[in-house]
């Protein structure tokens, strides 16, 4: 399996809802990433997990809570989001988190916050 | 902080012509430079990358050149085809970084007219 998968593909939620985004890879990669992408903009890094430990939090608001249950799975828990959080959320993985490692992106979850 | 500037923001070429996209980076410690192609509604996909110990790399119709002294790198697409139409992002990563953090350019929307 050489792909990163993400579920759900689309998510609509209210500002009081709690939801989770899921990401999975079976390439043996030990680094996993969450990005946020607005229309016609580049991906913005949110979090990096290296060997299942959080190594980077790009000053993301606490209403976004990442979790890495094991080396193949990455979750993003969402709570009390704002309409401006509507975006495409991309997961990515790489062999390790060092430089020079190709990052493989998942198809993304299109999130709409009402 | 590190910054990557990408030009042009939009590029329209006739099928069969060449396309060139240029990026400039600010941090001289950067040593890995990937290029991603993102078709509408799809995930970013790596199309080519180059490391700082190499000046040029080719893969069929695609080539990337790197000028470390000037701190810029360019993507060259020859014999463009309509399926090359997409948004292209350049990025840079620092050797000293064990975080895998990529700094992306703002993107170039390439349109290839049949």
């Amino acid at each position: 399996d050489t792909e990163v998968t993400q579920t759900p593909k689309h998510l609509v939620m209210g500002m009081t809802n709690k939801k989770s985004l899921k990401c999975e890879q079976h390439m043996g990669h030990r680094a996993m990433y969450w990005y946020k992408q607005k229309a016609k903009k580049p991906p913005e890094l949110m979090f990096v997990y290296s060997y299942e430990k959080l190594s980077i939090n790009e000053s993301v608001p606490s209403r976004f809570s990442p979790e890495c249950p094991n080396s193949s799975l990455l979750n993003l828990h969402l709570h009390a989001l704002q309409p401006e959080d509507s975006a495409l959320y991309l997961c990515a993985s790489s062999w390790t988190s060092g430089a020079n490692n190709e990052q493989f992106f998942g198809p993304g979850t299109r999130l709409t916050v009402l | 902080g590190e910054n990557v500037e990408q030009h042009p923001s939009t590029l329209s070429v006739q099928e069969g012509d060449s396309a060139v996209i240029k990026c400039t980076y600010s941090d001289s410690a950067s040593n890995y430079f990937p290029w991603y192609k993102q078709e509408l509604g799809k995930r970013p996909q790596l199309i080519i990358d180059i490391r700082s110990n190499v000046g040029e790399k080719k893969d069929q119709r695609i080539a990337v050149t790197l000028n470390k002294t000037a701190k810029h790198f360019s993507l060259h697409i020859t014999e463009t085809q309509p399926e090359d139409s997409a948004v292209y992002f350049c990025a840079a990563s620092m050797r000293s970084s064990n975080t895998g953090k990529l700094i992306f350019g703002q993107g170039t929307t390439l349109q290839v007219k049949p």
Side-chain angles (χ1 to χ4, degrees):
Chain A
D1 189 347
T2 58
E3 278 202 338
V4 177
T5 59
Q6 289 185 244
T7 56
K9 289 184 180 180
H10 301 275
L11 178 62
V12 179
M13 60 186 290
M15 290 190 285
T16 58
N17 291 158
K18 285 185 181 181
K19 297 286 184 182
S20 296
L21 309 184
K22 296 183 184 300
C23 173
E24 192 166 0
Q25 57 86 17
H26 295 288
M27 296 180 278
H29 290 174
R30 301 314 299 270
M32 297 186 77
Y33 311 78
W34 279 116
Y35 287 88
K36 173 183 178 181
Q37 187 178 29
K38 290 279 200 178
K40 300 189 179 184
K41 295 291 186 182
E44 292 177 45
L45 184 66
M46 300 174 72
F47 302 104
V48 180
Y49 273 84
S50 178
Y51 290 87
E52 299 152 54
K53 293 185 178 178
L54 183 65
S55 60
I56 288 188
N57 176 340
E58 289 285 288
S59 302
V60 178
S62 59
R63 57 185 183 269
F64 294 91
S65 176
E67 178 196 19
C68 189
N70 60 55
S71 60
S72 299
L73 294 173
L74 186 65
N75 298 323
L76 186 63
H77 303 297
L78 314 172
H79 174 53
L81 294 193
Q82 304 297 309
E84 58 264 31
D85 297 322
S86 298
L88 180 68
Y89 287 84
L90 293 162
C91 174
S93 71
S94 61
W95 280 110
T96 67
S97 61
N100 297 346
N101 285 293
E102 177 183 353
Q103 292 186 23
F104 294 79
F105 283 86
T109 293
R110 178 76 58 188
L111 174 67
T112 302
V113 182
L114 301 176
Chain B
E2 185 170 4
N3 184 48
V4 175
E5 292 191 3
Q6 182 172 346
H7 299 281
S9 56
T10 60
L11 180 59
S12 182
V13 300
Q14 210 64 37
E15 182 177 0
D17 287 350
S18 295
V20 180
I21 302 171
K22 298 182 179 182
C23 288
T24 304
Y25 59 97
S26 59
D27 193 330
S28 56
S30 297
N31 71 328
Y32 174 62
F33 307 93
W35 284 90
Y36 284 88
K37 174 185 180 182
Q38 188 173 26
E39 296 177 51
L40 190 62
K42 297 196 174 180
R43 75 187 78 192
Q45 290 198 297
L46 182 78
I47 55 171
I48 196 166
D49 57 14
I50 192 167
R51 291 163 175 79
S52 59
N53 58 345
V54 175
E56 184 176 4
K57 183 177 178 181
K58 287 183 180 180
D59 183 2
Q60 299 181 9
R61 296 186 297 108
I62 294 174
V64 57
T65 58
L66 171 65
N67 183 326
K68 287 191 295 182
T69 303
K71 292 191 287 187
H72 67 70
F73 57 112
S74 301
L75 178 70
H76 305 254
I77 305 175
T78 58
E79 300 171 24
T80 53
Q81 301 166 2
E83 51 266 38
D84 294 329
S85 296
V87 180
Y88 291 80
F89 293 102
C90 64
S93 177
M94 292 189 297
R95 174 178 48 231
S96 59
S97 168
N98 290 319
T99 64
K101 182 173 181 178
L102 292 174
I103 308 298
F104 284 91
Q106 289 301 302
T108 296
T109 300
L110 173 65
Q111 181 186 27
V112 179
K113 299 177 182 177

